[in-house]
Amino acid sequence: MRAAVLHEIGQDKLEVLDDVEAVGFGPGKVRIRVRATGLCHSDLSAMSGVLPQPAPFVPGHEGAGEIIEVGEGVGNLKAGDRVVVCWLPACGACPACKRGQTELCLAGFMNAGTPNFKRPGGDLFGFAGTGTFAEEVVVDAGCAVPIPDDVPFDIAALIGCGVTTGLGAALNTADVAAGSSVAVIGCGGVGISAIQGARLKGAAEIVAVDPVASRRESALKFGATKAVSPEELPDAKQQVTGGEGFDYVFEVVGKSATARTAYDHTRRGGTLVVVGAGAMDDFLQLNMFELFFDEKRILPSMYGGGDVLTSYERTIALWRAGRIDLEGLITHRVPLAEINEALDQMRTGTALRTCIEI
């Protein structure tokens, strides 16, 4: 089959090969024909080495498709079922799951060191244990979540990570209060989803912050009341909050510098929500006095900070009701063969979300 492969960490181009095979099928597994996958910035971070990932590997973790085959012991899925790929499934039995914090379950990481694919030249890994930049993937049955027939594959793919993460940061982690002031730093697909979540919760002022003008313009269409460049954020803080700072600031970039900016623009007693996935050697510096004196809450948000399956269902219900716009998040649809063009668009910041049709 065809798949896009990164041979070495640090390379900025993928090679689309036609001699790749998905491996590992057996009891408790399912084989999925991938129909669409989203291009997430986390894929770029894995390619550059910001996120840990063994190579060579097939990127991609936002995917949707159809079940081709189910392994022994899989009773809730059958061939032909439409599914979204969940890269962080819940086992239901670990301490985190028993506490109701299924987004913190580590079961999905247990197979991260096991190759998901092979080709004549050797084994290949799949990013986040999946690797959806391929025509087929083999994953644990828990990674395949059934979706209704009225949900298109490209929409379902985005629900698999970016939309769930952004919406959940506002709805679950922050639980944004009605009438509050919000700033979102980083307005790609995840940031736009956080903006939509803040709007759903009734935030009075939502300031979108991004260096790319096209993203700022898009943010206004999705519910932001004001859109500014990073250099304009201090003025926006003054205009919107009288200089006090925002009630909620969402950092959706994954860098210590933007997290520090977010902290500085959060009001005393306010909430900083860290959504971006950053590098292990990038440290956020805060002094002990400001932590004590300002009493700002710092809330990391992993995969939307809530039960993933419930979040999927809620997102579909909101989309059906017209309360959130998911089609508008997809600014480009490209075939797998044009994936490097899509990567370039993502790097230059021109695309909210690229959907790759496979």
Side-chain angles (χ1 to χ4, degrees):
M1 66 170 185
R2 292 181 305 157
V5 176
L6 186 83
H7 296 285
E8 296 181 2
I9 300 298
Q11 292 180 331
D12 61 358
K13 298 293 183 183
L14 297 171
E15 185 177 5
V16 179
L17 303 171
D18 60 6
D19 61 354
V20 179
E21 178 184 353
V23 299
F25 182 75
K29 302 283 188 174
V30 297
R31 187 186 304 275
I32 300 173
R33 171 65 169 93
V34 180
R35 295 296 184 183
T37 182
L39 174 55
C40 176
H41 202 277
S42 294
D43 299 308
L44 296 182
S45 295
M47 291 171 62
S48 66
V50 170
L51 296 180
Q53 171 62 47
F57 74 98
V58 177
H61 61 290
E62 289 183 339
E66 300 161 328
I67 297 289
I68 300 174
E69 188 179 9
V70 300
E72 181 182 350
V74 178
N76 63 323
L77 296 167
K78 64 183 185 302
D81 284 351
R82 296 159 49 87
V83 296
V84 60
V85 176
C86 175
W87 63 271
L88 191 61
C91 71
C94 70
C97 285
K98 290 180 179 179
R99 287 193 297 266
Q101 295 177 299
T102 57
E103 77 279 9
L104 299 181
C105 179
L106 294 176
F109 292 102
M110 297 303 178
N111 296 324
T114 302
N116 302 70
F117 307 92
K118 69 177 182 181
R119 57 185 301 260
D123 293 332
L124 304 171
F125 297 93
F127 178 45
T130 57
T132 54
F133 290 1
E135 292 181 313
E136 293 181 12
V137 293
V138 171
V139 294
D140 289 336
C143 295
V145 181
I147 55 173
D149 290 342
D150 66 330
V151 182
F153 287 125
D154 52 3
I155 295 298
L158 301 188
I159 292 173
C161 185
V163 170
T164 296
T165 298
L167 276 180
L171 303 182
N172 300 327
T173 306
D175 190 16
V176 172
S180 60
S181 61
V182 171
V184 177
I185 302 177
C187 297
V190 177
I192 290 295
S193 296
I195 287 171
Q196 294 200 74
R199 176 178 54 81
L200 282 170
K201 293 291 287 185
E205 300 282 353
I206 305 174
V207 177
V209 186
D210 199 283
V212 180
S214 61
R215 286 188 172 185
R216 298 197 295 270
E217 293 169 5
S218 295
L220 294 171
K221 299 175 184 177
F222 285 95
T225 57
K226 189 179 184 67
V228 301
S229 67
E231 295 76 19
E232 297 170 322
L233 181 55
D235 288 340
K237 172 183 171 182
Q238 183 63 42
Q239 294 168 9
V240 174
T241 73
E244 181 185 19
F246 296 92
D247 297 314
Y248 303 89
V249 181
F250 294 82
E251 195 280 344
V252 200
V253 179
K255 292 183 180 293
S256 61
T258 47
R260 179 70 230 196
T261 297
Y263 184 90
D264 292 339
H265 287 80
T266 302
R267 67 165 173 81
R268 293 186 67 213
T271 301
L272 162 60
V273 184
V274 179
V275 188
M280 289 188 290
D281 60 353
D282 187 11
F283 296 95
L284 172 62
Q285 292 190 343
L286 301 167
N287 68 62
M288 293 302 295
F289 178 78
E290 64 187 335
L291 280 174
F292 161 76
F293 187 71
D294 291 335
E295 203 178 275
K296 299 178 184 181
R297 297 190 303 162
I298 302 175
L299 302 179
S301 185
M302 176 73 168
Y303 209 176
D307 178 73
V308 174
L309 300 185
T310 301
S311 295
Y312 288 177
E313 293 174 357
R314 177 181 61 193
T315 299
I316 292 172
L318 291 168
W319 169 73
R320 281 174 171 165
R323 301 291 303 282
I324 57 174
D325 177 7
L326 300 186
E327 289 87 349
L329 283 173
I330 305 171
T331 55
H332 298 83
R333 288 179 173 87
V334 301
L336 182 61
E338 298 176 11
I339 191 169
N340 285 316
E341 179 182 344
L343 286 169
D344 289 339
Q345 292 170 343
M346 176 70 81
R347 290 190 188 95
T348 57
T350 58
L352 291 177
R353 217 49 156 200
T354 295
C355 182
I356 301 164
E357 297 173 337
I358 299 178

